[in-house]
Amino acid sequence: MHVPVQAIDREIWRDGVASEGARLIPEETPLALTYNGGTYAVMMGTPQNLEDFAVGFSLDEGIIKSVDDVKSLEVVRLDDGIELRMWLASEDAARISERRRHIAGPTGCGICGIDSIAEAVRPAAVVPQGQTFTPEQIMTAMQAIAPLQSINLQTRAVHAAAFWSPAGGIIALREDVGRHNALDKLAGSLARSRTGASGGMVLLTSRVSVEMVQKTAAIGAPVMVAVSAPTALAVRTAEAAGITLIAIARQDGFEVFSHGGRVVARHATEVADVA
């Protein structure tokens, strides 16, 4: 069944006592991404916001340069999975045929099937300067995620990626059992709504690996904030891409690992506004 959440009966043991009951858990299904009739990748993910996932994956992988490059997109639900069938312009199709790879991506896999070290650690796009944010704005943004995670509120088992701006708060939020999938879905949502990312922050409920930085750079967001720690390679990649990488964001604060100039105290921004 291709629904995001399933009720599953289970046996419960607590304090040495057994009981029974149902629990809501997230669904996981194969998602095949095809371009002009050929399969490019098969990822495991949550069957929700699939048009966003298809577009975001295509952008973040560099398969397309704009949402307009996708001439048609069809979500085809099969017995054992879902196909995301996309048709691209002829020049894009030719490029795909040269680099097509068949990959089976387990949940949480971000670079499965990459066949060279150079491709795995490819330089991220350099983001625009964007704007500065106060610590209060960063904390407010992160605290806004949890109430909007509808699947996670039911299951406590999925990741989220969100985009926050000073003017609009949480503009978009996407969930998935895979953290990379959630970020791809967010990228697709922003692209399909024509939302520019230079004025806001990408928020993550996961750790920060290099692929998450590469995807955030492809989105064009100058700041990314995560609840868990980054890897060393992620920090180096963020530094090279001009991204402010903020991690270990908790209720009492956060840690800034690169380009800290975008984080300024409230009084500094107020002085700048007056000037």
Side-chain angles (χ1 to χ4, degrees), residues 57 193 195 198 209 236:
F57 179 92
S193 64
T195 301
S198 62
S209 56
R236 294 195 295 272

Side-chain angles (χ1 to χ4, degrees), residues 3-7 23-27 46-47 150-152 154-155:
V3 295
V5 176
Q6 295 279 342
R23 180 180 180 87
L24 294 174
I25 58 176
E27 187 55 80
T46 302
S150 59
I151 298 178
N152 199 57
Q154 298 177 76
T155 66

Side-chain angles (χ1 to χ4, degrees), residues 22-185:
R23 180 180 180 87
L24 294 174
I25 58 176
E27 187 55 80
E28 179 181 28
T29 192
L31 306 173
L33 296 110
T34 72
Y35 300 92
N36 292 36
T39 300
Y40 181 87
V42 180
M43 308 298 290
M44 301 302 296
T46 302
Q48 186 182 53
N49 302 123
L50 296 181
E51 291 87 353
D52 289 340
F53 176 59
V55 172
F57 179 92
S58 303
L59 287 167
D60 290 344
E61 285 283 305
I63 296 168
I64 61 175
K65 297 180 181 179
S66 164
V67 63
D68 296 326
D69 294 338
V70 179
K71 302 308 178 185
S72 69
L73 167 59
E74 183 181 9
V75 177
V76 181
R77 298 178 183 272
L78 307 173
D79 291 339
D80 54 356
I82 301 175
E83 284 191 10
L84 308 178
R85 297 176 182 174
M86 287 167 280
W87 290 88
L88 311 180
S90 57
E91 58 271 21
D92 295 314
R95 187 173 65 253
I96 289 298
S97 65
E98 295 177 358
R99 59 174 290 191
R100 178 173 288 124
R101 52 191 170 90
H102 296 269
I103 64 176
T107 302
C109 178
I111 56 172
C112 302
I114 293 292
D115 57 10
S116 73
I117 291 176
E119 190 176 356
V121 295
R122 67 186 185 279
V126 178
V127 303
Q129 177 58 35
Q131 64 183 77
T132 60
F133 299 91
T134 67
E136 291 80 10
Q137 287 178 315
I138 294 168
M139 299 301 297
T140 295
M142 290 301 290
Q143 290 168 8
I145 296 178
L148 301 178
Q149 285 188 258
S150 59
I151 298 178
N152 199 57
L153 287 171
Q154 298 177 76
T155 66
R156 302 297 179 187
V158 297
H159 292 292
F163 181 75
W164 182 94
S165 75
I170 298 290
I171 300 298
L173 183 146
R174 295 293 182 266
E175 296 178 278
D176 199 278
V177 289
R179 56 197 172 93
H180 303 94
N181 295 347
L183 188 50
D184 283 335
K185 288 179 178 180

